């Protein structure tokens, strides 16, 4: 179960948004990730799409791993390692999607920016706590 009590006791870095921001932000981001996947998938191309699908699956896997690492294990250092890997995989995913479908790649930019912001927040929690 998610331990929000633990999270509430942490010292948070400057620019930490209020908790209510996260759910709608992630809902919008997940919708955009799905749209990017659809645009990538339907784009006719002679180029191989295998790397794009591999990076997509891996970044989604690491995205899913972050929540239990942070909120269930209460391990902000492990979560930071996961989110750094996620950042790299998401950027590689964007690059591969863009190679096939520019619009699919561009749609992922807000996701990458949010991940980098989340990385800053996670690192801030590690440093401050």
């Amino acid at each position: 179960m998610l331990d929000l009590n633990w999270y509430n006791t942490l010292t948070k870095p400057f620019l930490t948004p209020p908790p209510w921001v996260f759910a709608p932000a992630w809902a919008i981001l997940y919708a955009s990730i799905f749209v990017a996947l659809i645009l990538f998938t339907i784009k006719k191309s002679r180029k191989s799409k295998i790397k794009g699908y591999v990076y997509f699956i891996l970044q989604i896997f690491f995205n899913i791993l972050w929540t239990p690492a942070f909120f269930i294990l209460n391990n902000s250092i492990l979560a930071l390692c996961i989110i750094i890997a996620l950042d790299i995989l998401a950027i590689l995913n964007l690059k591969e999607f863009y190679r096939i479908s520019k619009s699919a790649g561009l749609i992922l930019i807000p996701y990458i920016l949010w991940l980098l912001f989340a990385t800053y927040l996670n690192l801030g929690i590690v440093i401050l706590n």
Side-chain angles (χ1 to χ4, degrees):
M1 179 175 277
L2 297 182
D3 190 354
L4 295 179
N5 290 327
W6 171 78
Y7 176 76
N8 292 333
T9 66
L10 296 173
T11 302
K12 318 255 186 339
F14 179 69
L15 299 177
T16 299
W20 64 265
V21 168
F22 292 97
W26 276 110
I28 292 165
L29 291 169
Y30 283 129
S32 68
I33 293 166
F34 180 68
V35 169
L37 177 62
I38 291 169
L39 292 173
F40 177 78
T41 300
I42 65 172
K43 179 75 175 184
K44 302 260 190 257
S45 176
R46 292 179 180 252
K47 300 173 188 172
S48 174
K49 294 182 179 180
I50 292 171
K51 283 189 351 185
Y53 288 122
V54 169
Y55 289 137
F56 179 83
I57 291 166
L58 287 172
Q59 66 92 9
I60 290 295
F61 177 72
F62 275 79
N63 188 307
I64 292 167
L65 280 181
W66 184 88
T67 298
F70 192 85
F71 286 108
I72 295 174
L73 298 177
N74 298 340
N75 190 330
S76 59
I77 295 172
L78 175 60
L80 180 62
C81 294
I82 291 168
I83 203 167
I84 290 169
L86 172 56
D87 292 340
I88 293 165
L89 290 165
I91 290 167
L92 292 170
N93 183 199
L94 180 150
K95 179 183 167 206
E96 287 301 312
F97 274 30
Y98 186 85
R99 189 175 63 85
I100 301 295
S101 166
K102 288 187 180 14
S103 56
L106 293 173
I107 287 172
L108 292 176
I109 291 173
Y111 173 54
I112 302 295
L113 294 174
W114 183 263
L115 286 177
L116 294 172
F117 179 63
T119 303
Y120 153 78
L121 294 174
N122 195 152
L123 177 62
I125 286 171
V126 168
I127 292 169
L128 295 170
N129 297 278

